């Protein structure tokens, strides 16, 4: 307990001096020395929340293997989004659905950049891949406390087999209701 108080005092000094990197290092060093100490993890999480760096919480908890710690901080764990389509090379238009384990909000990008609530697109419907080329979809889930997951990505390549072949949307599959079919014919 005395050691933890000393860490908190040293951390507060770094924060007051606006040296967030040194303050963060205090926590990471302490956690490396005591990887089963849930109170240290909670203090680090509080630090990230107080300094408006919630995106660092997922990386901190991703390295934790102690079930007791993970149980103690479970409110701060956000699961990564899941993709409906395996990455790979496809010869026709594809749709990629994203889902989150606990109904968290999903944000994504299609240009390979890091997604966030500010810079990503909020997921509302499957992402349509209808042009030839490679697309990297990166996604995060954000829980109700505003804590994002670690970003996950999948890369998809669309290569139409015949030059000037029309693109048909939606892709082949079974549908339970009527769907509008769009055929895009090259010039």
């Amino acid at each position: 307990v005395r050691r933890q108080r000393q860490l908190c005092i040293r951390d507060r000094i770094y924060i007051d001096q606006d040296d967030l990197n040194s303050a963060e290092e205090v926590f990471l060093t302490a956690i490396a020395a005591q990887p089963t100490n849930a109170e240290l993890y909670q203090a680090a999480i509080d630090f990230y929340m107080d300094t408006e760096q919630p995106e660092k919480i997922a990386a901190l908890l991703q390295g934790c293997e102690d079930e007791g710690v993970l149980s103690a901080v479970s409110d701060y764990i956000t699961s990564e989004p899941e993709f409906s389509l395996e990455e790979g090379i496809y010869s026709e238009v594809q749709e990629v659905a994203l889902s989150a384990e606990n109904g968290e909000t999903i944000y994504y990008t299609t240009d390979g950049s890091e997604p966030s609530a500010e810079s990503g697109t909020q997921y509302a419907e499957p992402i349509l891949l209808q042009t030839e080329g490679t697309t990297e979809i990166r996604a995060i889930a954000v829980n109700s406390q505003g804590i994002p997951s670690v970003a996950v990505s999948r890369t998809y390549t669309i290569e139409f087999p015949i030059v000037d072949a029309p693109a048909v949307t939606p892709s082949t599959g079974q549908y339970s209701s009527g769907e509008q079919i769009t055929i895009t014919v090259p010039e």
Side-chain angles (χ1 to χ4, degrees), residues 118-152:
E118 295 79 29
S119 67
T121 301
Q122 184 173 343
Y123 178 79
E125 60 187 12
I127 303 162
L128 185 61
L129 303 175
Q130 64 182 354
T131 58
E132 269 195 313
T134 299
T135 302
E136 180 183 4
I137 300 174
R138 295 184 65 81
I140 60 168
V142 178
N143 70 14
S144 61
Q145 295 183 23
I147 300 170
S149 69
V150 173
V152 291

Side-chain angles (χ1 to χ4, degrees), residues 11 21 30 34 38 40 59 68 76 79 91 106 134 142 145 155 173 178:
D11 187 59
N21 290 334
Q34 299 178 47
L40 283 175
Y76 299 95
S79 299
S91 60
I106 298 173
T134 299
V142 178
Q145 295 183 23
T155 302

Side-chain angles (χ1 to χ4, degrees), residues 33 40 56 86 107 180:
L40 283 175
K56 291 189 174 184
E86 292 295 320
Y107 296 93
Q180 179 175 346

Side-chain angles (χ1 to χ4, degrees), residues 47-178:
F47 162 73
Y48 288 136
M49 293 300 284
D50 291 345
T51 57
E52 299 179 4
Q53 301 179 83
E55 69 281 356
K56 291 189 174 184
I57 294 172
L60 173 74
L61 297 177
Q62 187 177 32
C64 180
E65 296 177 2
D66 186 88
E67 291 300 321
V69 170
L70 294 174
S71 177
V73 298
S74 63
D75 290 345
Y76 299 95
I77 297 173
T78 307
S79 299
E80 301 167 351
E82 295 181 14
F83 290 72
S84 66
L85 184 66
E86 292 295 320
E87 65 183 349
I89 300 172
Y90 294 90
S91 60
E92 59 185 24
V93 172
Q94 297 294 312
E95 281 188 343
V96 181
L98 303 175
S99 61
E101 189 173 292
N102 297 312
E104 294 99 346
T105 305
I106 298 173
Y107 296 93
Y108 70 94
T109 60
T110 56
D111 61 2
S113 64
E114 285 299 317
S116 70
E118 295 79 29
S119 67
T121 301
Q122 184 173 343
Y123 178 79
E125 60 187 12
I127 303 162
L128 185 61
L129 303 175
Q130 64 182 354
T131 58
E132 269 195 313
T134 299
T135 302
E136 180 183 4
I137 300 174
R138 295 184 65 81
I140 60 168
V142 178
N143 70 14
S144 61
Q145 295 183 23
I147 300 170
S149 69
V150 173
V152 291
S153 72
R154 300 288 184 276
T155 302
Y156 303 98
T157 301
I158 304 296
E159 294 178 353
F160 296 125
I162 301 171
V163 176
D164 296 335
V168 180
T169 309
S171 61
T172 60
Q174 295 180 350
Y175 299 94
S176 59
S177 63

